[in-house]
Amino acid sequence: MTLAPFASIAAETRGREHPHPGGETRGPRSPFQRDRDRIIHSTAFRRLRSKTQVFIAPDGDFYRTRLTHSLEVAQIGRVLARALALDEDLTEALCLAHDIGHPPFGHAGERALSEAMAHAGGYDHNAHAVRVVARLESPYCAHEGLNLTWEMLEGMAKHNGPVAAPNWALAEVDRAFPLALGQWPSLEAQVANLADDIAYDNHDIDDGLRSGFLDLDQLLELDFVADLWRRVEARFPNAPRERQLRELVRDQIGLMVNDVIATTADRAQGLASSEDVREAGRPTAAFSGAMATQERRLKTFLYDKLYYHEDQITTAERAREVVAKLFAAYSQDAETMPLHWRKALPEQEPERSRHICDFIAGMTDRYAIEQCARIYGRLPEGLSNV
């Protein structure tokens, strides 16, 4: 496929922090294909299968985790990239890696680490994702990190837009391998960010309805959702309710995807290179004004009815306490850490706290629960709300 002039060109990559002696020789893959494969083969990516998406440590097999969410984001991202003639491999890699910095228990765990790390530079899952792939995940003999391309690291660092005040983790990587943090990222990174929004806006509805936390009648108070629902009922009047609901979610994803394609193609007119995208001074990939308004209303609904549901808040607080207790235990007694982490524990601050944070952030929900039970003598209660 011929790429658009504003797409990222793999053959013109700005390279890797650690150049490969003799070039990249393992098979006929582009640099961005290698990035994608390195993410897929990483232990940090595999751990996403047991990290919270919406529901903490879910017992049911039907609910999404960070891993299944990331796969769904990648599918949407590839559709957008292909329609816009962008590099699909870079887009897919960014989608797969976008949540790789999340700690156990999702945002509840992130809040606990942010509080515990206040004296040591704080914690941010986006910055930690860059730290994971550039420093912590180190399967190679010649260097630390996965040694991803500049375009991949740039996209992970600022898929939400330019970063004016990077925290310590991102600043550390940026000093070694400058990522032009003040500019907009590639269009592939911008598309990956919107694919994330589309995926969780709609798939969280699916999980919320399945769990009973969301009620269809409440959802239909949103007029644009009600319009879609009436069309689904008209097309499939005799279908079971569960199938109609799945059709509703698919229809809404389709509307959002088509809206992004049309709006982005219009905003990209006149852009002659990926550098034009970075220097545009605004996002190039976007929802239309009308769809952006609807999407904000949908997010508000999800926060009100699902993410901030009373049961969710109670469970999230218990999860936050687990992470806080782990940080306190490891800080007070290094003997509570596994040997290989204990042997590498620095004596001085803030490096010591950051090392502990790295260990906890890499945990799955289940491993964090097991560690807390091992240290404190009993399993934490109330850590599954479905």
Side-chain angles (χ1 to χ4, degrees), residues 65-94:
T65 65
R66 288 284 166 189
L67 178 61
T68 57
H69 164 69
S70 297
L71 294 172
E72 290 167 341
V73 174
Q75 179 269 322
I76 294 171
R78 285 197 75 107
V79 170
L80 292 170
R82 183 169 298 184
L84 293 165
L86 304 176
D87 189 287
E88 292 183 45
D89 298 310
L90 177 58
T91 305
E92 182 181 22
L94 288 164

Side-chain angles (χ1 to χ4, degrees), residues 34 84 88 93 125 135 221 241 244 311 329 381:
R34 293 174 190 275
L84 293 165
E88 292 183 45
H125 77 265
R135 296 292 177 264
E221 292 175 7
R241 175 59 60 89
Q244 290 176 325
D311 289 350
E381 297 179 354

Side-chain angles (χ1 to χ4, degrees), residues 12 21 23 67 78 124 160 162 206 219 234 324 328 331 339 357 367 383:
E12 299 175 2
L67 178 61
R78 285 197 75 107
D124 172 79
N160 290 322
D206 188 27
L219 182 61
S331 298
L339 180 60
C357 181
Y367 185 71
L383 277 178

Side-chain angles (χ1 to χ4, degrees), residues 33 43 60 91 105 122 145 218 257 332 340 349 374 381 385:
Q33 287 174 319
T43 57
T91 305
F105 311 124
Q218 293 176 321
V257 165
Q332 293 165 12
H340 65 284
E349 290 287 356
R374 179 183 64 82
E381 297 179 354
N385 49 8

Side-chain angles (χ1 to χ4, degrees), residues 276-334:
D276 285 353
V277 174
R278 293 186 175 91
E279 297 171 1
R282 65 168 188 169
T284 302
F287 292 116
S288 67
M291 182 61 74
T293 298
Q294 292 180 3
E295 198 264 345
R296 285 193 297 272
R297 289 178 61 199
L298 181 58
K299 270 193 172 64
T300 299
F301 171 84
L302 287 171
Y303 274 94
D304 182 41
K305 304 298 183 183
L306 180 59
Y307 308 141
Y308 292 161
H309 187 284
E310 181 179 354
D311 289 350
Q312 288 278 68
I313 292 174
T314 299
T315 307
E317 178 56 25
R318 290 170 179 158
R320 187 199 65 78
E321 290 175 359
V322 168
V323 174
K325 284 183 174 181
L326 287 174
F327 195 97
Y330 299 141
S331 298
Q332 293 165 12
D333 183 5

Side-chain angles (χ1 to χ4, degrees), residues 8 40 47 53 119 124 304 349:
S8 296
I40 289 174
R47 289 189 189 117
Q53 173 60 19
H119 69 289
D124 172 79
D304 182 41
E349 290 287 356

